[in-house]
Each structure stands twice: as C-alpha cells, then as structure tokens.
C-alpha cells in the first residue's frame, strides 16, 4: 500500500472498513490497483469483528488534513461509518450504492468520502459506484452556497471562539473548554 502525501493528493485515494465491509474493501483495492491509483488502507485487515469508528476517525482526519483525497469507506449498511465520518467538520461522507447517487454526491454536494454498504451492494454495482465517484468533479456555482448551510451554528462560531483567550484543559488527548468568551457583533456573550 502507498502512503500518500500532499504532492500525490490528486491521484491518492484512501480506504477503510470494518469487518462487514472487509471483502468489498479488498475488491475496491483491486479496482484502484487496476487504475494505477495509489491509496492508503486504514483497515481492517480481516473479517474478525471490530468497531468501524476505529477506522473512520483516522480516515476522516487524513482527508481533513489534505493528506489524501478522496476517501472510500465501507461497513455493513454504510450508515454507521457514514455517521461517524460526518462528525468531522471537514467531511462530507455520502452513502452511495448506485452510480447515479455517487455522481450526484460529488457533483452537487462535493462529497469527499464515498461510503458503500458492504452487505447490500454487488461487486458490479460497487465498481460502477467507485468509478462514478472518482471521475466526477464538483459542479460549484450556486450549489456551493448551499453547502455552507451544512455547518451547524456552533461550527460557525468555532473560529471566533478560538480567537479569544480561553481556559483549556487537556485530558486524554481531548481539549475541554472550561471558559469561553465569544465576541458577536462587538458584544461579549
């Protein structure tokens, strides 16, 4: 497997799955190999039971950091891994099981991770879905204005929060905000 860096971003893809998506992930890797595309495999490495968040979070962080683009994720129904991926602010994971859905996810929603349901999609459907996702570009235009509405209000405030002095405690590699001052229209809330 290739570890991709920013210089390879345009041709680098990444994959990740849980145990229910393992077989389809291995098939998708064959598709990428046949196209000569570099990728990073975030796991899992077998059909032994595992938890999809263990693979979803590293995949999402790599896409957000610009290390690889786009991502492909697979779990049994696709729902669990998609929900986990979409917890990340910079991720637009789209659950797709048909070519047309994948094309529209890229074209209209600028999806950056393709999610497929390992238990509910054939290899033929997966092939067409992956190819459509990888070959479709974001249309932009008026569509991009609607994408800014994906973020919830607290995500819009996040840059403002971090620009103002705060008290932060670090515990178990997570930052807990203990005091926040937010400037909004020249008023402190």
């Amino acid at each position: 497997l290739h570890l991709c860096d920013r210089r390879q971003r345009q041709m680098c893809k990444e994959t990740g799955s849980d145990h229910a998506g393992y077989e389809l992930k291995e098939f998708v890797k064959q598709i990428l190999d046949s196209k000569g595309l570099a990728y990073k495999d975030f796991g899992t490495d077998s059909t032994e039971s595992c938890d999809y968040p263990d693979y979803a979070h590293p995949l999402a962080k790599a896409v957000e950091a610009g290390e690889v683009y786009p991502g492909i994720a697979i779990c049994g129904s696709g729902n669990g891994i998609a929900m986990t991926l979409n917890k990340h602010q910079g991720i637009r994971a789209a659950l797709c099981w048909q070519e047309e859905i994948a094309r529209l996810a890229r074209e209209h929603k600028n999806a950056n991770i393709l999610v497929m349901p390992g238990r509910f999609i054939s290899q033929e459907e997966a092939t067409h879905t992956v190819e459509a996702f990888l070959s479709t570009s974001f249309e932009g235009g008026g569509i991009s204005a609607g994408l800014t509405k994906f973020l919830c209000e607290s995500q819009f405030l996040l840059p403002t929060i971090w620009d103002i002095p705060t008290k932060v405690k670090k515990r178990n590699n997570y930052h807990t905000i203990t005091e926040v001052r937010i400037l909004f229209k020249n008023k402190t809330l």
Side-chain angles (χ1 to χ4, degrees):
L1 300 179
H2 297 82
L3 178 60
C4 308
D5 62 22
R6 290 179 191 270
R7 292 182 306 267
Q8 297 171 310
R9 183 176 170 177
Q10 291 301 329
M11 61 181 212
C12 182
K13 318 302 175 217
E14 62 181 277
T15 62
S17 73
D18 71 351
H19 60 282
Y22 173 74
E23 290 177 7
L24 183 59
K25 181 193 69 162
E26 292 301 305
F27 178 74
V28 168
K29 286 168 46 178
Q30 291 174 14
I31 296 170
L32 299 176
D33 286 336
S34 72
K35 295 184 175 303
L37 297 172
Y39 57 86
K40 180 178 180 181
D41 185 347
F42 283 88
T44 186
D45 299 323
S46 73
T47 56
E48 186 176 321
S49 184
C50 63
D51 299 319
Y52 54 79
D54 296 338
Y55 308 101
H57 291 301
L59 185 148
K61 288 176 185 177
V63 170
E64 284 180 313
E67 295 169 9
V68 289
Y69 179 84
I72 299 173
I74 305 163
C75 75
S77 69
N79 284 309
I81 204 163
M83 289 177 190
T84 303
L85 290 162
N86 282 320
K87 295 286 184 183
H88 292 260
Q89 184 175 342
I91 298 302
R92 291 171 309 283
L95 176 56
C96 305
W97 58 94
Q98 294 175 343
E99 178 180 355
E100 184 68 7
I101 295 169
R103 187 185 64 73
L104 290 170
R106 290 285 293 140
E107 193 173 84
H108 291 197
K109 304 301 179 218
N110 199 18
N112 53 12
I113 298 181
L114 167 64
V115 177
M116 292 188 293
R119 291 184 176 138
F120 300 97
I121 188 169
S122 70
Q123 288 184 346
E124 181 181 352
E125 291 168 323
T127 300
H128 295 300
T129 301
V130 168
E131 288 174 350
F133 191 82
L134 296 179
S135 66
T136 303
S137 298
F138 179 49
E139 193 174 85
I143 292 172
S144 50
L147 292 179
T148 61
K149 296 178 182 180
F150 275 19
L151 300 176
C152 67
E153 185 177 304
S154 64
Q155 289 173 316
F156 283 123
L157 295 176
L158 203 56
T160 306
I161 291 171
W162 290 111
D163 287 340
I164 298 178
T166 60
K167 292 181 182 176
V168 178
K169 290 183 180 177
K170 189 170 182 182
R171 187 180 310 150
N172 297 331
N173 291 328
Y174 291 96
H175 288 72
T176 304
I177 300 172
T178 58
E179 179 184 313
V180 177
R181 291 186 299 144
I182 302 171
L183 290 179
F184 185 72
K185 293 190 178 179
N186 298 324
K187 295 181 181 179
T188 301
L189 302 177

